[in-house]
Amino acid sequence: MAGRLLFICQLLVRDLRRRRTETVLLLVAITAATATLTLGLTLNEIADRPYQQTRTATAGPDVIVTPRTTGQAALDELAARTTAAGVTDHSGPFPIAYLTMTAHGRSAHAVVEGRDDAPVSIDRPAVTDGTWVRPGGVVVERAFADALGIRTGDTVSIDGHPLRVTGTAVTAARATYPYAGWHYSGSVLVERGGLVWVDRSDIATLAGSQSLSYTLNLKLADPAASATYPVGDQLTTWQAIDRLNGRLYSDAQMTLLVGSWLLSGLALAGVAGIVAGRIIGQRRRVGLLKAVGAGPAMIAAIHLAEYLVIGLAAAATGLVTGWFAAPVLIRPSAGLIGSVNAQPPALRTVIAATALALTIAVAATLVPVVRAAATSTIHALADAATPPRRRRWRIWLSRRLPTALLIGVRINARRPRRARLVTVNTLITTTALVAVLIVNTQAVHFDLGYTALANPRVERGEQATLVLTVVVCVLALVNAVVSTWTAVLDARQPLAVARTLGATPGQAGVGLALAQLLPAVPGVAVGIPAGIGLVAFVSIGEVQYPPGSWLLATALGVLLAVAALTAVPAMVATRRPVVDTLRSAPT
Amino acid sequence: MVLRARGLTRRYGRDSGLVRAVDEVDLDVPAGQALAIMGPSGCGKSTLLHLLGGLQRPTGGQVWLADRRIDTMSEWASARLRRDSLGFVFQSFHLMDELTAMENVELAALLAGQPPRRARQRALHLLERVGLADRAAHLPSALSGGQRQRVAIARALCNEPLVVLADEPTGNLDSAATLDVLRLFEELHTAGQTLVVVTHDPRIAAVADRVISMRDGAFADDRQVVGAATGTVYGRRR
Ligand SMILES: Nc1ncnc2c1ncn2[C@@H]1O[C@H](COP(=O)(O)OP(=O)(O)OP(=O)(O)O)[C@@H](O)[C@H]1O
Ligand SMILES: [Mg+2]
């Protein structure tokens, strides 16, 4: 047993070293899928954790009440709340005004809260820069300050009144910019806006003719109990704020999670293609191993071990990549404190990424490995490729086609599995690109743009989409090249024979390229509705469709890319003199 | 002359590594001749055959097939030429594994642009001629070596070539299978087919009406023979 293990390990190390390019390609393919999954899952935690830390650091409230009424009526309403059952402590009521802040020529809605210099027991915003409020000054919520490009010492104006920015701070009592809950007084329609604090003595001047609203922070005996409170425009809970903060990442998160399914499919197709190509090359060794007495189980173990090792390495690489990429992508909202990478990734993320990597590795390798283990020794020793399967109708059909098409169809008829991988590859690529196209159309249509400021949620969604698009394109590219190259290697001998029978190098090259292009067509054709369906399936709102010409352009683009990627190796392969190929081809 | 070569030369490498695989060869093959080329391994027989069939370009000299220069032809034109005027038979058959005997043969006709029905008829006819009509639907893996080579010969004959070029067609066969192929070549010869066969087998050479011996890329001996079976030497050139 130990001897066998040693033997397997030796072969494994030698194989990984000898086939470096393929090993690297396998790693890249699986890593892309696991990294995206990690990224998607990590956003959850990252979005959650800083709020918890901020809540602890700022003595965040459990329930926040802001009645619809204003002035004395509101104060009366709130007075009753402080003595309600389960309430152990409170701070406020603090006066509130819904105004507009202008800084550096750009305006945004601002929820202005009046505060005193003296510390309170609940909701003590943590000052991250400068000092706390003083008369004539304003403290800006950090994410809001970031969005407007405000620094301590700047001068801003609120409804025309100039104020000096004395500092920036974070709080857990309100969601970060743009979810501060701004609305026209009397309206329940919430618009994007940020929070600022001013001295209580200043707020009446700033509000002018507008009557003041009030907000009250409550602490409960059991913080979890607030989960049952009815959240609405007059009352919110810390759980609701946490969710609201998370919304900043919800687009990005959805994009990445759905993207990781697509990438898993692409990785699976890519790995299957590479493995199939490798096994063809390893057949003689399989024969030798069998000749010296290795059983099918042993053969399977040798090959599977290799892919399991690659899978594990890819899982680790993907986890690390995703984990480090997440805070870059997410720029943990400036409105919260606490470092996002203080703790290692959650166990469930590690398990999910590892399982995904191993599943891809095993699923892609099982069929060819079992097949290799089951071939007869003599056959494998003769180094004949797996006898190509005969597709009667295709051979019959292709007799009627022009030479190049005849060659293309027959190359695919020899290796239907590889042709299917091409279909899967283009299907997933087209689906992803169409989905990205629709998502982009969406963003353009739904951004009402009442402020010149970028919407941080859309920004994050777009970044995630960009990352996903790049990764999808890279993987699809790798897959296309690998698949063409294995096709070139595999079709060398039949193409050479066809050329001794008088096929021109042009016909042979075009035939080889067509062999890749033909299965790509159904992939692209199905990919368009699949992309539309995918977006319709995962998005909540109404889906805006991009113009048909865009979809068509995407489809043609994918086909063109496949053709271009294929043409080069195909032409190179057919440039080779026939005689050389015939000489080196196995008999 | 169906096939003519003047000063035909193919060199590999340079300086100390220079190999004269084929060295200034002159050759005339009249229509209907069965020519056998013999010689020790590595003397350049295969290379000569490839040059004559336009599979490889010479480094010097000229080749004509039915009075057309073929050594300077474009790759495209020489492909056409192979398609219409030449038939190749290889030592290792080079049949397509996934195609039946019939489909392997008709492939040549299809590549030459014949309609499928005509191609099929032609293939059937040829398989009958090589005695494999009953094996038409078999895959190569279900055929013996001799049968495979007969399929390959049928394929070579598919487009009624001016010349059939065969490179050690019996090299992978046992003596019984060799006899089958031998008989087939004899029949072709009788029917007036021009044949150029590279071989190590004296029996194949014995049915030829001309035998050339090669050494180090050049012709060492060139005998015309009558009554091939008896091997009577009637003339000698050079
Ligand atoms: N691609 C090549 N590069 C260098 N030398 C070559 C190449 N192909 C053939 N040769 C050399 O040319 C010479 C003739 O080769 P060729 O294959 O024609 O011999 P042959 O007579 O057919 O031998 P055999 O009877 O063994 O088949 C040999 O010495 C061979 O080593
Ligand atoms: Mg030879």
Side-chain angles (χ1 to χ4, degrees), chain B residues 109-130:
Chain B
L110 290 174
L111 286 177
Q114 290 195 30
R117 194 186 303 266
R118 278 258 301 285
R120 172 122 323 170
Q121 276 168 2
R122 176 91 186 126
L124 250 180
H125 169 72
L126 285 166
L127 282 176
E128 228 161 75
R129 194 160 155 199
V130 301

Side-chain angles (χ1 to χ4, degrees), chain B:
Chain B
M1 292 296 137
V2 173
L3 203 55
R4 203 147 61 90
R6 288 291 174 272
L8 197 57
T9 303
R10 172 75 213 202
R11 298 197 172 102
Y12 293 110
R14 54 171 54 166
D15 301 333
S16 61
L18 181 75
V19 177
R20 297 165 198 271
V22 172
D23 197 11
E24 306 257 345
V25 161
D26 298 333
L27 178 68
D28 288 292
V29 182
Q33 188 170 65
L35 167 63
I37 299 175
M38 300 186 71
S41 180
C43 69
K45 308 180 295 292
S46 297
T47 308
L48 175 63
L49 207 70
H50 294 151
L51 293 175
L52 293 177
L55 282 179
Q56 220 173 357
R57 276 177 196 279
T59 42
Q62 299 105 40
V63 188
W64 290 266
L65 179 72
D67 294 328
R68 284 170 65 200
R69 255 312 265 284
I70 65 168
D71 53 291
T72 50
M73 271 185 180
S74 71
E75 188 55 47
W76 187 84
S78 71
R80 264 196 74 141
L81 190 84
R82 287 199 290 274
R83 194 190 299 164
D84 300 332
S85 316
L86 289 169
F88 286 92
V89 178
F90 298 97
Q91 178 174 353
S92 48
F93 323 135
H94 288 313
L95 296 178
M96 304 224 186
D97 299 329
E98 73 274 24
L99 300 183
T100 62
M102 156 83 81
E103 286 160 352
N104 265 293
V105 176
E106 78 170 1
L107 181 61
L110 290 174
L111 286 177
Q114 290 195 30
R117 194 186 303 266
R118 278 258 301 285
R120 172 122 323 170
Q121 276 168 2
R122 176 91 186 126
L124 250 180
H125 169 72
L126 285 166
L127 282 176
E128 228 161 75
R129 194 160 155 199
V130 301
L132 288 173
D134 54 334
R135 295 280 194 279
H138 285 50
L139 290 175
S141 54
L143 297 174
S144 75
Q147 288 168 337
R148 283 183 216 183
Q149 194 58 296
R150 280 190 278 157
V151 172
I153 292 171
R155 184 177 65 184
L157 295 173
C158 199
N159 295 320
E160 304 184 323
L162 292 172
V163 187
V164 170
L165 301 167
D167 192 356
E168 303 192 30
T170 58
N172 278 357
L173 304 179
D174 67 3
S175 60
T178 300
L179 277 179
D180 283 344
V181 172
L182 193 67
R183 224 169 283 136
L184 193 54
F185 275 130
E186 252 184 313
E187 273 172 43
L188 289 177
H189 180 32
T190 318
Q193 176 71 57
T194 313
L195 292 168
V196 178
V197 183
V198 166
T199 185
H200 284 295
D201 194 327
R203 284 174 300 176
I204 294 266
V207 303
D209 44 26
R210 179 180 176 193
V211 179
I212 290 176
S213 297
M214 278 185 82
R215 184 145 305 144
D216 297 332
F219 291 172
D221 191 29
D222 185 346
R223 286 172 294 147
Q224 301 277 344
V225 190
V226 282
T230 59
T232 319
V233 177
Y234 88 95
R236 199 176 256 267
R237 301 201 308 184
R238 243 189 242 187

Side-chain angles (χ1 to χ4, degrees), chain A residues 203-527:
Chain A
I203 193 160
T205 327
L206 295 176
S209 58
Q210 199 186 105
S211 54
L212 294 175
S213 304
Y214 287 91
T215 186
L216 176 74
N217 301 314
L218 300 176
K219 196 90 202 156
L220 303 184
D222 173 18
S226 56
T228 60
Y229 278 53
V231 174
D233 68 313
Q234 305 189 71
L235 181 147
T236 190
T237 61
W238 67 272
Q239 291 97 334
I241 294 172
D242 190 12
R243 268 198 302 280
L244 210 52
N245 278 337
R247 227 166 82 182
L248 204 54
Y249 314 104
S250 61
D251 289 346
Q253 206 175 345
M254 189 52 120
T255 306
L256 290 170
L257 277 180
V258 174
S260 69
W261 308 339
L262 291 174
L263 282 174
S264 302
L266 269 188
L268 197 65
V271 173
I274 297 170
V275 171
R278 285 179 90 163
I279 295 276
I280 291 174
Q282 286 173 335
R283 286 175 58 84
R284 191 190 288 274
R285 202 183 63 181
V286 169
L288 289 173
L289 287 173
K290 288 194 167 181
V292 300
M298 176 83 171
I299 307 262
I302 289 171
H303 290 95
L304 271 182
E306 197 176 327
Y307 298 111
L308 287 181
V309 166
I310 293 177
L312 282 176
T317 324
L319 271 169
V320 172
T321 313
W323 184 245
F324 280 107
V328 178
L329 182 69
I330 207 176
R331 281 174 291 113
S333 171
L336 302 169
I337 52 174
S339 53
V340 288
N341 271 3
Q343 290 162 35
L347 189 62
R348 75 185 178 107
T349 309
V350 175
I351 291 174
T354 311
L356 177 68
L358 293 185
T359 309
I360 292 175
V362 171
T365 51
L366 208 57
V367 174
V369 164
V370 166
R371 210 183 274 167
T375 45
S376 84
T377 311
I378 300 302
H379 210 92
L381 265 184
D383 201 21
T386 331
R389 248 184 292 159
R390 184 181 152 67
R391 307 276 137 168
R392 193 183 297 273
W393 68 269
R394 283 201 222 180
I395 290 169
W396 177 83
L397 179 79
S398 63
R399 296 168 70 225
R400 277 141 227 281
L401 301 174
T403 306
L405 263 177
L406 179 145
I407 292 174
V409 169
R410 290 196 175 184
I411 287 175
N412 282 341
R414 278 167 67 85
R415 303 279 176 217
R417 233 166 77 89
R418 195 188 41 229
R420 277 203 292 276
L421 290 182
V422 172
T423 310
V424 170
N425 192 26
T426 44
L427 167 66
I428 297 176
T429 311
T430 313
T431 305
L433 292 182
V434 166
V436 165
L437 197 64
I438 298 175
V439 167
N440 280 343
T441 316
Q442 216 93 311
V444 172
H445 277 260
F446 281 120
D447 194 13
L448 297 174
Y450 58 86
T451 161
L453 295 186
N455 181 342
R457 177 177 171 187
V458 171
E459 239 173 39
R460 282 163 172 86
E462 276 173 355
Q463 279 167 352
T465 316
L466 183 70
V467 167
L468 185 71
T469 312
V470 170
V471 178
V472 163
C473 286
V474 167
L475 257 198
L477 213 76
V478 168
N479 284 1
V481 169
V482 165
S483 133
T484 310
W485 196 243
T486 44
V488 163
L489 291 183
D490 185 54
R492 246 185 347 201
Q493 198 256 0
L495 281 182
V497 174
R499 287 186 58 197
T500 67
L501 296 177
T504 63
Q507 287 170 332
V510 172
L512 200 47
L514 278 175
Q516 301 292 302
L517 205 54
L518 286 178
V521 172
V524 169
V526 179

